[in-house]
Amino acid sequence: MTGPNQQPPGDGVPPSDPTVAWWERPGEGAGQTPAQADPTVLRGNIGAPGPYTAPPTPYQSGSNPQPYTAPPGPYQSGSNPQPFAQPQQFAPPQQFAQPQAGAYPAPQPQWGAPPRPPSSGNKAVWWIVGGAIVAVGVLVIGLIAFTANKVEDDNPFGPDPEKWAGSYVFQDGKNACDLVDLTVLNQWASTRETTTHTERGPSEYIGGGSYDCDAKNKESGRNANEASLGLEVEFKTESETESDYSRWKGYDTKTTGKDYDHGVVSGLGTEAYYSSEQHIYGSIPNDYSIVVAAHDSNISVKVEIEVSTMRTADKAAMRTAAETQVRKVLAALKK
């Protein structure tokens, strides 16, 4: 029986040589000796010059064991094997230089929706729109200021007072009933019962303006006398095509007959008329009324006096009182 490093006798290598492993021994019928073997196969240093000396191994026997020397590397040849070289230390990987700010955009995360890049085009559009709005605002403000100045000067864009102005003017703060003398009613009834008045100023754009006054006197007792006075004053407007005087005249003079009368009043404004009406009853108060109206320049004035009495009224006195009040109004509102 043979050991792991032994070969049966007859292979040409002394079995007592412990340095030759059994697989290095030629087999039966081998035609080559170990000295003639290919030096590139396994033990290539067999054919080297000089006597063969096996490298010591940790298992070498003998009285003077030698310290262990590492065998030559697999690619090292020669009789003087070199100790193993220390493995080369690899240099640590170089650190990449940090990119300069602004050289290229920082990497973006690969998850989620990518951030929306800034759009300089949208900013430009908004700048244009904002600039246009500011320009329009400045233009409007300038136009308003220009129009205001022109209204004060030549007034080309605003209202033109010359279209309704004339010899008479509306007076702010004027009480309409102060334009007439209401004591004229005392000759028919001496006790004041009611007084009302209304004033409407002219429009900035079309002119106009008006005064209205109504006053009534009444005596006490059954079938007592009554007397009233009504005043209407109208100023011309830009849009009017017919004066108030013309409308009044058309209504007051359209009725004719036994109890109606009307005619022209001279010397009162540029034109004037009167109109009268009477109703006489046997057992109830008789009714009398007189209207005097005048037109002059840009004003129309109308005064109406009514009397209710059981006696007969003096129609001439009533007409004179009405004419006097019209003249008073024209004088009060004259420029």
Side-chain angles (χ1 to χ4, degrees):
M1 184 174 182
T2 62
N5 294 324
Q6 295 180 356
Q7 183 73 7
D11 55 4
V13 177
S16 62
D17 189 353
T19 63
V20 180
W22 64 268
W23 59 80
E24 296 177 327
R25 302 174 186 273
E28 295 181 1
Q32 293 179 339
T33 65
Q36 299 173 341
D38 188 350
T40 62
V41 177
L42 296 176
R43 297 292 296 272
N45 58 355
I46 294 177
Y52 170 77
T53 302
T57 64
Y59 306 102
Q60 185 175 2
S61 61
S63 59
N64 296 316
Q66 299 296 324
Y68 173 73
T69 301
Y75 302 103
Q76 184 176 3
S77 62
S79 59
N80 297 319
Q82 300 296 326
F84 285 105
Q86 293 295 328
Q88 183 179 2
Q89 297 295 328
F90 290 98
Q94 297 181 357
Q95 298 293 331
F96 289 100
Q98 294 295 330
Q100 296 181 358
Y104 53 86
Q108 300 294 331
Q110 300 300 321
W111 56 85
R116 184 176 181 178
S119 176
S120 60
N122 292 340
K123 293 181 179 179
V125 170
W126 281 113
W127 272 109
I128 294 174
V129 173
I133 294 175
V134 172
V136 171
V138 172
L139 180 61
V140 171
I141 294 174
L143 182 60
I144 292 175
F146 175 77
T147 303
N149 293 335
K150 286 298 182 180
V151 168
E152 294 179 358
D153 297 337
D154 301 331
N155 196 17
F157 303 112
D160 184 5
E162 295 299 326
K163 293 183 178 180
W164 60 81
S167 301
Y168 300 86
V169 63
F170 182 92
Q171 298 179 11
D172 292 329
K174 191 76 169 181
N175 187 313
C177 291
D178 291 341
L179 296 174
V180 292
D181 183 7
L182 297 180
T183 61
V184 299
L185 296 178
N186 294 341
Q187 56 186 303
W188 298 285
S190 59
T191 304
R192 179 65 50 80
E193 184 177 57
T194 59
T195 303
T196 60
H197 61 90
T198 303
E199 299 82 21
R200 298 181 182 87
S203 169
E204 178 183 358
Y205 299 97
I206 62 173
S210 64
Y211 293 102
D212 293 281
C213 175
D214 291 288
K216 181 179 180 181
N217 288 8
K218 183 178 180 179
E219 295 180 349
S220 60
R222 183 178 180 183
N223 297 326
N225 295 339
E226 297 180 7
S228 62
L229 184 149
L231 169 68
E232 293 182 59
V233 178
E234 297 290 342
F235 289 89
K236 181 183 178 180
T237 64
E238 179 184 3
S239 59
E240 75 177 27
T241 57
E242 181 183 20
S243 67
D244 293 279
Y245 170 85
S246 297
R247 292 189 295 102
W248 297 335
K249 183 178 181 180
Y251 179 80
D252 294 333
T253 61
K254 69 179 179 179
T255 304
T256 60
K258 176 182 177 182
D259 297 328
Y260 300 91
D261 188 22
H262 59 80
V264 177
V265 176
S266 60
L268 187 59
T270 56
E271 57 181 332
Y273 73 90
Y274 77 92
S275 173
S276 65
E277 178 182 352
Q278 64 180 14
H279 299 282
I280 300 176
Y281 309 101
S283 58
I284 59 175
N286 301 322
D287 295 330
Y288 299 87
S289 67
I290 183 76
V291 172
V292 176
H295 178 260
D296 190 26
S297 184
N298 62 324
I299 195 172
S300 297
V301 181
K302 176 181 178 179
V303 173
E304 180 176 7
I305 296 177
E306 295 184 10
V307 175
S308 176
T309 180
M310 292 294 296
R311 301 180 297 270
T312 302
D314 186 351
K315 294 187 291 182
M318 293 176 62
R319 175 179 167 179
T320 300
E323 290 181 9
T324 300
Q325 301 309 308
V326 171
R327 295 179 190 277
K328 181 178 178 61
V329 172
L330 293 175
L333 299 177
K334 187 95 172 186
K335 286 184 178 179

